[in-house]
Amino acid sequence: RSWTAGALALSAISQVACQTTAPPAVKLGSGPRDSVVILNDGNAMPLVGLGTVFISPGGIKRAVDQALRSGIRHFDTSPDYRNEAAMGHALERARRRNGVRRDELWITTKLEQEHHRYA
């Protein structure tokens, strides 16, 4: 995998984006739900999230449930973590259990280099 090429491409995209748009606004609050960055399109992305790289599919249910109960609404995953399916099921179960609407969640994933191609 060429992480360097991906980083250079991301850097180039970021430089263009910074030249044409205003910097995002950061709002710090008293808890994980209140601390967000306002993106250029108006969406609010939570600054605090649960990274799932080292959580096994078997442990993800408990981790997601505890995170939602703690106010965390941002979840980071990747196909490489091999827990995305378990995470999806755990999020749906915990979301319903804790009364969290889907539009309150911010889910981040990655697209591996070999999947990048022109349309």
Side-chain angles (χ1 to χ4, degrees):
R1 296 184 189 161
S2 176
W3 294 106
T4 305
L8 290 174
L10 183 58
S11 176
I13 291 168
S14 297
Q15 289 174 9
V16 170
C18 288
Q19 292 172 2
T20 59
T21 58
V26 175
K27 294 183 179 179
L28 298 177
S30 59
R33 282 205 277 192
D34 304 325
S35 298
V36 297
V37 60
I38 307 299
L39 302 177
N40 292 336
D41 64 0
N43 283 304
M45 181 179 78
L47 291 174
V48 178
L50 175 69
T52 62
V53 65
F54 298 116
I55 304 175
S56 69
I60 202 92
K61 188 187 320 181
R62 182 171 177 228
V64 166
D65 191 55
Q66 288 178 342
L68 284 177
R69 281 190 282 122
S70 299
I72 291 176
R73 298 296 185 262
H74 186 170
F75 296 87
D76 176 69
T77 188
S78 169
D80 276 355
Y81 302 171
R82 308 227 188 285
N83 62 12
E84 279 191 316
M87 183 161 162
H89 293 295
L91 273 170
E92 184 59 21
R93 177 184 160 273
R95 188 182 70 74
R96 288 183 182 178
R97 226 172 136 196
N98 293 294
V100 177
R101 294 185 330 268
R102 172 57 183 95
D103 64 350
E104 294 179 58
L105 300 178
W106 189 280
I107 301 170
T108 304
T109 190
K110 287 96 180 154
L111 182 62
E112 295 300 323
Q113 194 67 25
E114 65 265 16
H115 299 294
H116 291 221
R117 57 182 148 273
Y118 293 102

